[in-house]
C-alpha cells in the first residue's frame, strides 16, 4: 500500500511539474510573439509615414514657391518654422523608436526594447539607444535577461515621469570584443536620491509602500548568475546601471 501511494504521488508530482513547465514555456512564447508583433507593427507604421512623406514632399516644396517668387523672406522664415520644422520633429520622434537597434540581433530582446521605448514616448520621455556593433547573442537565460532589462527600463521610465525638465533615458548595448556584453541604462534622477545600497533593500521604495521589489529582484537575479555583474552609481543627477554579461567560453 505504501509503495502504491509513493509511486502514485511521484507520478502526480512529475505530471504536475511537466504541466507547469509547459505553461511557462507557452506564456514565454506568447510574450515573445507579442513583443515581436508590436515591433513589426511599429516598423510598418514608420515605413508607411516615410512613403507618405516621399509622396508629398513635392507638394510641400511647392508651397514655398510663392514666398520665393515674391522674395518674401520674412514670410518664408515664419512659414518654415511654423509648418515645416514641426514635421521634421515628428518624424525624428518616430524614428527614435527603432534608431540604433538594428545591430541587436536577439529577437526577444529587440521586441521588449521596442515595447519599452514606445511606453516612454507615450509619456513624452526622450530616449536614445546605441548598439555600435552587431550583437548575435547574450550569454544569459532569455527569461532572466528579459526580467533584468524589464526592471531596469520600467524603473527608468517611472523615475523619468518625476522629472519636470527634459526627462531623458539613455540605453546602450556594448560588445566587449568576444568576452562580454554590457547593457547600460542611464536616466535623469532627482537630486535627493537615497544612497545606492538602500535602494536594493527588499520592500524599500521611493514610490510608496509595498512597491520595492524591483531592484531587490534585480540584485537577486544578477547575484544568482555567476557570469553577470551589476554596477549601480549615481553621478551628476543621473542614475546609472550597468549589467555586464560575460561569455561562458571567454
Amino acid at each position: 500500500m505504501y509503495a502504491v501511494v509513493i509511486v502514485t504521488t511521484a507520478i502526480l508530482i512529475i505530471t504536475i511539474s511537466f504541466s507547469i513547465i509547459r505553461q511557462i514555456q507557452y506564456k514565454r512564447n506568447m510574450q515573445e510573439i507579442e513583443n515581436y508583433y508590436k515591433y513589426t507593427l511599429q516598423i510598418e507604421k514608420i515605413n508607411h509615414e516615410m512613403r507618405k512623406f516621399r509622396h508629398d514632399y513635392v507638394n510641400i516644396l511647392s508651397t514655398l514657391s510663392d514666398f520665393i517668387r515674391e522674395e518674401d523672406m520674412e514670410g518664408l522664415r515664419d512659414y518654415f518654422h511654423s509648418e515645416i520644422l514641426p514635421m521634421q520633429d515628428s518624424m525624428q520622434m518616430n524614428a527614435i523608436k527603432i534608431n540604433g537597434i538594428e545591430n541587436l540581433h536577439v529577437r526577444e530582446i529587440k521586441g521588449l526594447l521596442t515595447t519599452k521605448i514606445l511606453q516612454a514616448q507615450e509619456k513624452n520621455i526622450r530616449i536614445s539607444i546605441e548598439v555600435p556593433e552587431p550583437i548575435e547573442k547574450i550569454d544569459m537565460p532569455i527569461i532572466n535577461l528579459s526580467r533584468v532589462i524589464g526592471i531596469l527600463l520600467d524603473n527608468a521610465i517611472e523615475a523619468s515621469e518625476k522629472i519636470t525638465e527634459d526627462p531623458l533615458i539613455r540605453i546602450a548595448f556594448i560588445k566587449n570584443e568576444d568576452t562580454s556584453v554590457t547593457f547600460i541604462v542611464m536616466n535623469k534622477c532627482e537630486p535627493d536620491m537615497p544612497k545606492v545600497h538602500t535602494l536594493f533593500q527588499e520592500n524599500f521604495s521611493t514610490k510608496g509602500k509595498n512597491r520595492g521589489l524591483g531592484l531587490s529582484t534585480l540584485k537577486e537575479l544578477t547575484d544568482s548568475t555567476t557570469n553577470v555583474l551589476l554596477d549601480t552609481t549615481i553621478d551628476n543627477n543621473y542614475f546609472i546601471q550597468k549589467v555586464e554579461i560575460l561569455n561562458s567560453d571567454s
Side-chain angles (χ1 to χ4, degrees), residues 34 45 80 106 217 230-231 244:
E34 182 181 355
K45 180 180 177 182
F80 179 78
V106 184
T217 301
L230 172 66
D231 180 39
E244 184 176 9

Side-chain angles (χ1 to χ4, degrees), residues 8-249:
T8 303
T9 303
I11 293 173
L12 285 174
I13 291 174
I14 293 172
T15 303
I16 292 171
S17 298
F18 275 113
S19 177
I20 292 173
I21 291 172
R22 282 196 300 268
Q23 290 179 11
I24 292 174
Q25 184 66 38
Y26 175 77
K27 289 180 180 179
R28 171 189 168 184
N29 290 340
M30 288 296 96
Q31 186 62 52
E32 290 176 0
I33 291 171
E34 182 181 355
N35 287 339
Y36 193 67
Y37 178 69
K38 289 181 179 178
Y39 171 72
T40 303
L41 285 181
Q42 196 58 34
I43 291 179
E44 290 177 353
K45 180 180 177 182
I46 294 171
N47 286 337
H48 178 65
E49 290 179 357
M50 290 300 296
R51 285 196 299 269
K52 287 197 303 183
F53 179 79
R54 286 196 298 267
H55 180 266
D56 293 340
Y57 84 97
V58 173
N59 293 332
I60 293 171
L61 290 177
S62 67
T63 62
L64 308 177
S65 61
D66 281 342
F67 294 102
I68 296 172
R69 184 170 53 252
E70 297 175 7
E71 298 184 356
D72 182 5
M73 299 309 296
E74 185 64 32
L76 177 61
R77 185 181 299 107
D78 292 340
Y79 179 75
F80 179 78
H81 285 288
S82 63
E83 301 294 337
I84 305 300
L85 279 184
M87 294 176 59
Q88 177 189 18
D89 294 339
S90 176
M91 291 180 65
Q92 287 177 341
M93 285 298 291
N94 285 326
I96 196 65
K97 297 172 186 175
I98 61 168
N99 184 37
I101 63 175
E102 63 273 4
N103 280 333
L104 183 61
H105 299 156
V106 184
R107 187 183 68 178
E108 301 90 345
I109 302 307
K110 183 178 287 189
L112 174 62
L113 278 172
T114 303
T115 301
K116 296 303 179 183
I117 290 171
L118 292 175
Q119 290 177 3
Q121 191 181 45
E122 288 171 358
K123 300 176 185 295
N124 296 318
I125 299 169
R126 283 201 303 132
I127 188 165
S128 67
I129 180 165
E130 178 183 358
V131 188
E133 296 181 71
I135 296 177
E136 304 293 340
K137 69 170 185 174
I138 300 176
D139 202 352
M140 185 176 182
I142 198 66
I143 293 297
N144 289 348
L145 180 60
S146 297
R147 292 176 68 191
V148 166
I149 292 176
I151 289 171
L152 291 179
L153 295 182
D154 284 342
N155 286 343
I157 290 171
E158 289 193 10
S160 297
E161 289 184 90
K162 300 178 182 179
I163 304 300
T164 57
E165 185 176 346
D166 192 25
L168 173 63
I169 300 173
R170 297 183 186 275
I171 304 169
F173 284 84
I174 307 298
K175 184 177 180 181
N176 307 307
E177 296 183 348
D178 293 324
T179 60
S180 66
V181 173
T182 302
F183 173 58
I184 305 171
V185 178
M186 300 173 54
N187 60 273
K188 286 186 178 180
C189 62
E190 296 176 310
D192 57 346
M193 282 286 291
K195 298 293 184 182
V196 169
H197 71 275
T198 62
L199 294 172
F200 288 92
Q201 297 174 2
E202 188 168 346
N203 295 323
F204 177 87
S205 176
T206 60
K207 299 174 284 186
K209 188 178 179 181
N210 297 326
R211 298 185 65 188
L213 295 178
L215 289 179
S216 64
T217 301
L218 173 67
K219 191 173 189 305
E220 181 180 322
L221 284 169
T222 55
D223 286 350
S224 63
T225 311
T226 56
N227 66 319
V228 176
L229 306 173
L230 172 66
D231 180 39
T232 303
T233 55
I234 299 174
D235 184 23
N236 196 26
N237 289 336
Y238 272 92
F239 189 68
I240 306 168
Q241 294 197 275
K242 301 178 182 178
V243 179
E244 184 176 9
I245 301 102
L246 304 174
N247 294 335
S248 56
D249 55 354

